[in-house]
Amino acid sequence: MAIGEYKPGLEGVPATQSNISYVDGKAGLLEYRGIRIEELCVHSSFLETSYLLIFGELPTSAKLKEFEVDITHRRRIKYRIRDMIKSFPDNAHPMDALQTSVAALGMFYPLGDFHDADYIYQATVRLLAKVPTMVAAFHMMRQGNDPVMPRDDLDYASNFLYMLNEKVPDPLAARIFDVCLTLHAEHTVNASTFAALVTASTLTDPYAVITSAIGTLAGPLHGGANEQVMMMLEEIGSVDNVTAYLERKIERKEKLMGFGHRIYKVKDPRAIVLQELVHKMFDQFGHDHYYDIALELEKQAFEKLSSKGIHPNVDFYSGLVYKKLGIPSNLFTTIFAIARVPGWLAHWKEQLSDNRLFRPTQVYTGLHDVTYLPIEHR
Ligand code: ACO
């Protein structure tokens, strides 16, 4: 087979066929299984959307109830996993803690038969249920506290927020958080999903698949950008400093965190929904001056960078919502991970249905026929 043209970062190269989600980067459109994200944010819940992504259709109310109950009943983590998390360094990054915890989960639930729908369902439910618990457990234990046990009477979003500080959240705050999860649940073949696909294609277990994806999401060019955005807004400090900050960034050819996207050449539709959520949060819980800085930065960046198709992406406004919810910024990317679990699992399931091992080729740029030089002659 002839080797095709090398595309750095595989830009524009289809890596798979998929019917899970669709992005139109020029129109600013994102659909999950054909349904526009804006519609899901208004009418659906994160768990219903997860079901849609993973099983390909919206559930009946009986199916949704069963899915929710199954997840609720599997939220607890084994004491051995809790003990392991307790031994992590307090200053470990929560994404590293989560990646290690998910990898460890795989030791407790052995590999099953990929043709067995029940095995797939149980692994799916377990990962959706336990990832938030592991994030919250590390957060509590790094502060020297016992982890907060999940509460079966709380929905998915409320329970996660509750496990972070043992306070039942305001219902509006929980609903807004649930919408944030829905918004981040899936996004075609991005870097972490591609990592998941490659790992899945070796027929390893689903915990290894999600572990790979988490490691990939953590980087600042991908999911790690939401934490970096908050650091950037803090560094700017006030609206008056925006112009100088932006000029400095452009002069040094440094990237603005939360801006730009491989696919979107207009404002990311998720950033638009997130901005609406920011307004809702502020109406209810008070304004945050970092939003004024973000708005001014977006305005000035538009003048300087929009001709290159650089606009705010999903990570630009998400941190402002999480901050208002009282979540520390180094947990932001773990929230992205919690939200993306259904997307990764949907791709895992799709990959298994028609698997072929990923094994691309390379353009070799090295030497040939080099004579080995003995160490004393080097
Ligand atoms: N700020 C300033 N300039 C930018 C930015 C940015 N955030 N992003 C891209 N550019 C510029 C580049 O400097 C380059 O300019 P040039 O042609 O003059 O050299 C041009 O746009 C193309 O940039 P690339 O990095 O090649 O584009 P790519 O498609 O690889 O970029 C990426 C995508 C990695 C997301 C990039 O925009 C970026 O690094 N953004 C900041 C990090 C970020 O917010 N990541 C989150 C993305 S969303 C997500 O993963 C969930």
Side-chain angles (χ1 to χ4, degrees), residues 220-222 225 255-256 258-262 308 310 313 315 336:
L221 296 188
H222 192 12
K255 287 186 173 166
L256 276 187
F259 281 81
H261 199 278
R262 179 65 60 80
K308 280 191 188 177
I310 296 160
N313 60 47
D315 289 323
F336 198 152

Side-chain angles (χ1 to χ4, degrees), residues 125-371:
V125 159
R126 193 175 289 126
L127 278 156
L128 281 165
K130 295 190 195 304
V131 165
T133 311
M134 294 191 293
V135 169
F138 175 64
H139 178 57
M140 289 305 283
M141 289 196 273
R142 68 178 170 167
Q143 299 170 84
N145 300 319
D146 280 329
V148 176
M149 286 295 138
R151 259 180 51 181
D152 287 1
D153 60 319
L154 296 177
D155 63 51
Y156 196 84
S158 305
N159 177 63
F160 174 68
L161 295 173
Y162 166 76
M163 289 189 298
L164 288 183
N165 58 14
E166 218 172 355
K167 287 195 197 110
V168 176
D170 177 276
L172 177 72
R175 172 64 194 152
I176 287 174
F177 185 68
D178 193 79
V179 176
C180 289
L181 296 180
T182 301
L183 269 179
H184 288 81
E186 158 63 8
H187 207 247
T188 74
V189 192
N190 52 78
S192 58
T193 302
F194 185 48
L197 284 181
V198 173
T199 309
S201 81
T202 70
L203 300 184
T204 185
D205 72 79
Y207 308 96
V209 171
I210 302 301
T211 303
S212 284
I214 291 171
T216 310
L217 184 71
L221 296 188
H222 192 12
N226 59 9
E227 181 182 346
Q228 302 282 327
V229 168
M230 209 59 240
M231 287 157 73
M232 173 179 75
L233 297 177
E234 282 164 8
E235 187 189 336
I236 297 173
S238 97
V239 173
D240 298 340
N241 298 335
V242 167
T243 308
Y245 181 87
L246 186 59
E247 275 170 7
R248 206 167 55 242
K249 281 283 192 194
I250 291 174
E251 196 184 293
R252 292 180 187 168
K253 295 193 182 315
E254 288 173 359
K255 287 186 173 166
L256 276 187
M257 287 293 132
F259 281 81
H261 199 278
R262 179 65 60 80
I263 307 289
Y264 292 118
K265 298 305 162 202
V266 295
K267 189 166 174 178
D268 186 328
R270 299 166 298 175
I272 296 170
V273 179
L274 276 161
Q275 220 171 335
E276 289 164 13
L277 298 179
V278 169
H279 290 164
K280 277 193 189 159
M281 286 297 288
F282 290 172
D283 288 349
Q284 188 78 4
F285 305 108
H287 193 77
D288 185 329
H289 85 285
Y290 288 113
Y291 183 57
D292 303 328
I293 301 172
L295 278 183
E296 186 60 25
L297 187 59
E298 181 180 350
K299 191 173 126 221
Q300 295 196 25
F302 185 84
E303 289 158 18
K304 301 218 156 63
L305 297 173
S306 64
S307 58
K308 280 191 188 177
I310 296 160
H311 298 273
N313 60 47
V314 67
D315 289 323
F316 192 57
Y317 286 109
S318 59
L320 287 160
V321 179
Y322 304 150
K323 184 169 182 288
K324 204 72 206 164
L325 288 166
I327 299 171
S329 53
N330 64 10
L331 284 186
F332 291 176
T333 315
T334 60
I335 293 169
F336 198 152
I338 291 170
R340 188 51 64 82
V341 168
W344 293 328
L345 289 171
H347 284 274
W348 168 59
K349 200 164 163 281
E350 190 174 65
Q351 181 66 30
L352 291 180
S353 69
D354 187 19
N355 189 52
R356 185 130 200 258
L357 177 74
F358 274 93
R359 200 332 181 167
T361 186
Q362 63 172 9
V363 177
Y364 179 64
T365 60
L367 305 170
H368 291 286
D369 289 332
V370 178
T371 307

